Amino acid sequence: MKKKKLKILVSLFALNSVTLYLYFSSHPDHFRHKSPKNYFLNTGNRFSSSENHHNFHSSITSQSKPWPILPSYLPWSQNPNVAWRSCEGYFGNGFTRQIDLLKTSPEIHPGGGWFRCFFSETLQSSICEGGVIRMNSERISMSRGGEKLETVIGRGEDEELPIFKYGAFEIEVNDRKKIGKKLTDDEFLKKYLPEGAISRHTMRELIDSIRLVGIDEFHCSEWIEEPSLLITRFEYANLFHTVTDWYSAYAASRVTGLPSRPHLVFVDGHCETQLEETWRALFSSLTYAKNFSGPVCFRHAILSPLGYETALFKGLTEQIDCNGASAHDLWKNPNNRKTARLSEFGEMIRAAFGFPVDRQNIPRTATGPNVLFVRREDYLAHPRHGGKVQSRLSNEQQVFDSIKSWAMNHSECKLNVINGLFAHMSMKEQVRAIQDASVIVGAHGAGLTHIVSAAPKAVILEIISSEYRRPHFALIAQWKGLEYHPIYLEGSHADPPVVIDKLSSILKSLGC
């Protein structure tokens, strides 16, 4: 009996040790990407000695949220041996080439800013970061941003996207030879920030606007002391495209080794949307560039790639041969064709809302498993949206009613059919419904992107009309390692008995 208890104690100790190691291994990433030597050197004395830097008031709260413990987390440390077009190259830290555009030299030119980028050969994009950077919002042409949707109906998209004038961003330098020059040139932009198929590459345009200025010209009305992500969004009201932005921002935070979650600054003029609830949950705070009064200076700013440059989007046009696997298995046996990154990201979203992430099995209520039907509803998405969504399943209500009626008479076990009216639910409620679902059913639509936060054993049943045969959700399921089943329609009308037959088969495989 004593031996049995001892074995249990040893097993628990080992499990706890592995968990603690994975958690604390996230912090060394920060020190592997140290800023230049003088980055935090005498910041108090240096900035209080010049009237430029007297005002330390900040529109951003000074408290950063800690990173949560995630079961699927693996270290994001720089590894120069990440294979080209491997799963880690696509979803993790494939940003292996460091390019220093501006270095500080404490011995020759004390003080000043710095700037560098990490380039991914696989994604053909860069994550960039720098210090002692000033944003002059009056040199950015765009609407204010963050308004209530109802107050800006009809506003054009061109008004909301930023146009950066030269000097919209500036970095302090003490090397007189550099004062007044641009940070970079066209050759660098073409090589490390290629436009690709993107019509407007706003991150590239932002970097192209950066001017180097001397300390006498570097005046700040506010200083942001903690790391801040500068984000420009395009299709900001669409869940799929916003998830690509979330993922890019999360990856940039990890690649640059931030010890806690950064603050966000939206460098765009889009109005407020429902999706900002998740932005606020994921990161430490959120503000819009035009909400600052006067030039604002960042001690540490990070620029994440556009969502179009993530594997989530690139997978729609190029083959990304990756399959989801557990972090535990990959820790023991690394595999270039497997990834746990998307599961890690889904856990991050769940943890951001305060939901437990340590459950590995399908959640079940006291009465039985949940079957979540994700619905498409009319709603006003953005100023140019008419409030009507295009039907992907013409008889959606009939299919839902048929499933609900069938479930009430299901003899094998009690089923809970959940009406997923996501357009009228908070983001937290949507994530809760997804994580508690054993089976997720829905017509092809952005709402299904939530399956990034699904439980590890959840099953996806997608109903696909002939007009929308796109791989978005089959790919996410594959990259997460979720069981996925499609029902292809000849048009947009589904036969309820066919859907119920497929659902019944899935539930039998789950023991119900």
Side-chain angles (χ1 to χ4, degrees):
M1 190 68 170
K2 288 182 179 179
K3 287 184 178 180
K4 187 175 180 180
K5 287 182 178 180
L6 182 61
K7 286 182 178 179
I8 293 172
L9 286 172
V10 170
S11 299
L12 289 172
F13 176 78
L15 180 61
N16 187 55
S17 298
V18 170
T19 302
L20 287 172
Y21 175 79
L22 289 175
Y23 173 64
F24 287 111
S25 63
S26 65
H27 296 274
D29 290 356
H30 173 62
F31 299 106
R32 287 187 182 93
H33 292 297
K34 281 184 180 178
S35 306
K37 291 180 183 178
N38 66 326
Y39 185 56
F40 287 110
L41 183 63
N42 277 335
T43 54
N45 293 336
R46 176 187 165 216
F47 290 113
S48 62
S49 64
S50 169
E51 68 178 21
N52 300 8
H53 306 105
H54 277 176
N55 192 344
F56 277 72
H57 169 70
S58 169
S59 296
I60 293 180
T61 178
S62 62
Q63 187 161 356
S64 295
K65 298 176 184 176
W67 292 112
I69 297 176
L70 307 174
S72 294
Y73 176 86
L74 289 173
W76 286 72
S77 311
Q78 274 280 348
N79 177 6
N81 298 318
V82 171
W84 178 65
R85 302 195 74 177
S86 65
C87 293
E88 183 64 6
Y90 273 115
F91 293 96
N93 194 353
F95 298 86
T96 55
R97 184 167 183 180
Q98 180 175 328
I99 309 98
D100 291 291
L101 285 166
L102 183 63
K103 284 186 176 182
T104 55
S105 178
E107 294 79 12
I108 303 173
H109 302 289
W114 58 278
F115 198 91
R116 64 187 174 190
C117 294
F118 300 95
F119 180 68
S120 167
E121 294 283 354
T122 298
L123 294 174
Q124 287 292 294
S125 66
S126 292
I127 291 170
C128 299
E129 62 175 341
V132 194
I133 296 177
R134 178 171 65 190
M135 178 177 69
N136 302 298
S137 60
E138 75 279 1
R139 296 179 191 167
I140 307 174
S141 298
M142 62 185 180
S143 47
R144 181 174 177 81
E147 307 95 340
K148 295 295 182 184
L149 171 58
E150 295 77 17
T151 67
V152 292
I153 295 296
R155 183 169 66 188
E157 186 175 22
D158 288 344
E159 297 177 58
E160 299 177 346
L161 292 176
I163 297 175
F164 301 104
K165 299 175 184 176
Y166 182 51
F169 287 82
E170 295 169 317
I171 301 179
E172 179 192 305
V173 293
N174 288 340
D175 184 348
R176 291 185 178 181
K177 295 178 183 178
K178 294 179 179 178
I179 292 175
K181 294 184 177 181
K182 293 182 67 172
L183 171 68
T184 186
D185 55 26
D186 289 341
E187 183 180 349
F188 172 86
L189 295 173
K190 289 177 183 177
K191 190 170 183 179
Y192 298 111
L193 290 163
E195 289 180 335
I198 302 169
S199 58
R200 281 201 56 198
H201 198 302
T202 47
M203 178 184 175
R204 174 187 169 121
E205 292 171 3
L206 187 158
I207 292 175
D208 192 37
S209 80
I210 298 177
R211 184 169 70 110
L212 306 180
V213 299
I215 190 170
D216 293 337
E217 195 180 341
F218 201 80
H219 304 277
C220 307
S221 62
E222 299 183 31
W223 269 96
I224 308 302
E225 296 295 324
E226 298 192 351
S228 301
L229 273 172
L230 308 184
I231 305 288
T232 299
R233 303 162 300 157
F234 284 83
E235 297 175 76
Y236 64 100
N238 177 281
L239 181 62
F240 173 78
H241 289 284
T242 300
V243 167
T244 68
D245 283 333
W246 291 339
Y247 193 84
S248 187
Y250 175 70
S253 304
R254 291 301 201 180
V255 168
T256 52
L258 301 184
S260 55
R261 290 185 258 173
H263 300 271
L264 293 181
V265 177
F266 282 160
V267 189
D268 62 50
H270 298 307
C271 67
E272 188 178 51
T273 73
Q274 183 185 23
L275 300 175
E276 286 187 23
E277 181 186 348
T278 306
W279 279 112
R280 295 181 189 278
L282 284 170
F283 299 98
S284 289
S285 71
L286 168 60
T287 191
Y288 281 77
K290 287 288 189 180
N291 289 350
F292 292 105
S293 57
V296 59
C297 295
F298 298 93
R299 197 75 70 198
H300 186 184
I302 303 98
L303 302 174
S304 63
L306 303 181
Y308 298 123
E309 297 174 322
T310 61
L312 287 162
F313 187 82
K314 284 181 174 287
L316 303 178
T317 55
E318 64 182 82
Q319 186 174 1
I320 300 179
D321 184 21
C322 294
N323 291 284
S326 75
H328 178 267
D329 290 345
L330 290 175
W331 182 264
K332 289 168 51 178
N333 301 299
N335 189 320
N336 283 340
R337 299 269 63 87
K338 293 183 178 180
T339 183
R341 292 299 185 196
L342 216 54
S343 293
E344 174 188 336
F345 175 61
E347 290 166 1
M348 180 67 212
I349 294 174
R350 289 160 59 184
F353 283 116
F355 297 131
V357 293
D358 57 347
R359 294 180 297 180
Q360 295 302 307
N361 297 317
I362 301 173
R364 280 177 178 252
T365 65
T367 54
N370 289 345
V371 176
L372 171 65
F373 197 112
V374 178
R375 307 290 298 275
R376 285 181 61 80
E377 299 176 274
D378 292 340
Y379 71 103
L380 194 60
H382 57 78
R384 296 160 296 283
H385 191 269
K388 299 288 184 181
V389 298
Q390 190 172 11
S391 175
R392 309 287 173 83
L393 178 58
S394 58
N395 63 328
E396 181 182 272
Q397 186 65 49
Q398 181 191 13
V399 173
F400 174 75
D401 291 340
S402 298
I403 290 175
K404 195 169 184 180
S405 176
W406 167 78
M408 289 177 64
N409 300 308
H410 195 259
S411 57
E412 284 74 10
C413 62
K414 173 66 176 176
L415 300 177
N416 306 301
V417 179
I418 310 299
N419 194 5
L421 300 171
F422 281 5
H424 304 291
M425 295 165 62
S426 70
M427 296 303 294
K428 184 173 184 177
E429 290 170 334
Q430 293 176 40
V431 173
R432 188 198 303 274
I434 287 287
Q435 74 154 19
D436 288 344
S438 301
V439 183
I440 300 168
V441 185
H444 181 91
L448 283 179
T449 318
H450 272 307
I451 65 175
V452 295
S453 302
K457 301 293 185 182
V459 181
I460 315 302
L461 176 57
E462 182 182 5
I463 305 171
I464 307 170
S465 70
S466 57
E467 194 177 347
Y468 292 97
R469 295 196 175 177
R470 299 168 183 169
H472 297 62
F473 312 115
L475 288 172
I476 293 175
Q478 175 186 323
W479 297 331
K480 267 184 65 77
L482 300 176
E483 185 179 333
Y484 171 86
H485 300 272
I487 295 178
Y488 295 105
L489 308 179
E490 290 185 3
S492 63
H493 185 279
D495 186 4
V498 172
V499 178
I500 289 170
D501 183 63
K502 190 64 179 178
L503 181 59
S504 177
S505 176
I506 291 169
L507 288 165
K508 283 179 182 177
S509 71
L510 300 178
C512 186

